[in-house]
Each structure stands twice: as structure tokens, then as C-alpha cells.
Amino acid sequence: MGNGIAQVAARAGFDVVMRDVADEFLARGMKAIDKSLQRDVDKERLSAEEKAIIISRIKTTTDIASLSSAFIVVEAVTEDLGVKTEVFRSLDGVTGPEAILASNTSSISITKLGATTRRPDKVIGMHFMNPVPVMKLVEIIRGAATSDETYEKTRALTAKLGKVPLECHDSPGFISNRVLMPMINEAIFALYEGVASRESIDGIMKLGMNHPMGPLTLADFIGLDVCLAIMNVLHDGFGDSKYRPCPLLKRYVDAGWLGRKSGRGFYEY
Ligand SMILES: NC(=O)c1ccc[n+]([C@@H]2O[C@H](COP(=O)([O-])OP(=O)(O)OC[C@H]3O[C@@H](n4cnc5c(N)ncnc54)[C@H](O)[C@@H]3O)[C@@H](O)[C@H]2O)c1
């Protein structure tokens, strides 16, 4: 997600510093950016010169101090509260006092991340969708202490990136995953209970609701471990049994059948 965000920011004309913990991850990120932009060159949506200029706007580093002059940092590290807390503490120390600290988290509380810094008014959620260069939406999440000024600046920046900012308050799953994941979980329950085959469930939702892919295919694409983690966030956050993850989803994750990335999920790849 981080390389996708760097790519759209550079394409919109911003100078970007992309930071990771090791050079090999940065190289992988730059390769993904190159491949994505090359696709646009091949389709004649971008010239080779423009591609080179976009890439030249992105500097890579493993040193967090290189972010010191940024006016905004968009954090997109591993979805783990401990890792993100550590990153936010460090960012709070190295960036200027006016810098906005945004998180691309799918499920972690923005209010909690803000509270680990001395500037909770400047901490906000910028939830990009995957793949970042293609998807129009950025869900903008306001933590309990996020100021109107931070929100306005983030909204304006998102529009400059060519994306559509839509606002919501900090609440488990925000809007996107609160609505999407229970639908996917329900599809898994239907499969678990033998109500229909995987093909039938996906076909009914795809053809009947005009969804681009069925919920089981989508779960495989997202990753079943990610789906389970988000259902657990909803279940714990609301304390409501309507969010309990389906036992079949748990069983697949226990078996290491995580979807596309592991070669098997509800389908085989
Ligand atoms: N994958 C998706 O579809 C998706 C969609 C929306 C939001 N998100 C969110 O985006 C974030 C990243 O997800 P991803 O799928 O790109 O994960 P990923 O595991 O593919 O990438 C995370 C990157 O962060 C790096 N990293 C880990 N610790 C770090 C640290 N301390 N400092 C700097 N870099 C560090 C890792 O080396 C890795 O390159 C998560 O918060 C996730 O919830 C993901």
C-alpha cells in the first residue's frame, strides 16, 4: 500500500520520501511503482518522460530522520498496534510540530494512535483502497481529538491526489470494513451451513447485485487472515455477537489457507 500511496503523490507532483526498515523492501516498492507506471506508458496514458519525472520525485530511505521536513507523513506499516505505536512515537519526535501524521490503517483506532503523540489534533486516518493507483476512494477518519484544520488540509490534499475523500468518525471498522466484512462473513456462513456452493454464492452476488466479484473471491483477494482480524476488531469493539467470525473462516486461517497469497482459500490458485 505504501508504494501505491507514494506513486499517486509523486504523480500529483509532490516530492516523496518513502521509508521502510530495509533496502530490499524499498527496492520491491520501487519495482512495483515502475511496473504500475509502465502499464500506463504501454497503454499510452503516460509518456516515458513523464514516467521518469514521477519516479525521480520519489526518494527512498531507511532513516526515519529523513522525514523531518515533511508537511504530512502517511504511515502504511504492518497492521499491528505495537508497530504502529512505535512508528507514531518516532514520527512525533522527528517531524516538525505542524506536520500532519496520517495512518492508512484498516482497523486500528485513530484516537489511540493520536494519544501516543503530543499532537493528537494533527493525527488522522487516510484509508486508501487497494490497488491505490486505481481506486478512487480515500476514507478520511477523524479521531476524537483530530482538529477541523487537520481534517480540511487532509481533505484538500486527497482531492489533489485525484481521489475522492469521504469522511467518517473513528469507530471499529470505520464505514468500509464495517459494511463489507459482515457481508463476506455472512457469505462464509452460507457456505459453512451448506446453503449453496461457493460458485453459486459468488455468482448470485456478482450477477444479482452487480458486484465486480463475489464475496468469497473477494475474501481470497483480501486475505482470509485479514478478514478474520477485521471481524475480531468489530466483535471486540462493539461486543455484539452479530459480528462473530464464522468458524469456517477461523478453520481456514488455522490451516494456512489464506486465499490468493497462499495458493488456497475458498478457491485454489
Ligand atoms: N493490503 C490492503 O488491501 C490494504 C488496504 C487498505 C489499507 N491497508 C493498510 O495498509 C497498511 C499496510 O498494509 P500492506 O498490505 O501494504 O502491508 P505489507 O505488510 O505488505 O507492507 C507493510 C510494509 O511496512 C514495512 N514496515 C514494517 N514495520 C515498519 C516500520 N517500523 N517502519 C517502516 N516500515 C515498516 C514492511 O517492511 C512492509 O514493507 C496496513 O495498516 C493495512 O491495514 C491495507
Side-chain angles (χ1 to χ4, degrees), residues 1 19-20 25 76-79 84 87 104 106 127-128 130:
M1 291 298 287
R19 190 229 163 203
D20 207 307
F25 303 135
V77 308
T78 317
E79 186 76 348
K84 287 201 194 280
V87 168
N104 184 48
S106 310
H127 186 203
F128 289 81
N130 190 12

Side-chain angles (χ1 to χ4, degrees), residues 181-198:
M181 280 303 158
M183 182 192 74
I184 287 177
N185 196 46
E186 200 59 34
I188 302 170
F189 266 112
L191 183 71
Y192 180 57
E193 292 165 12
V195 181
S197 67
R198 61 186 187 181

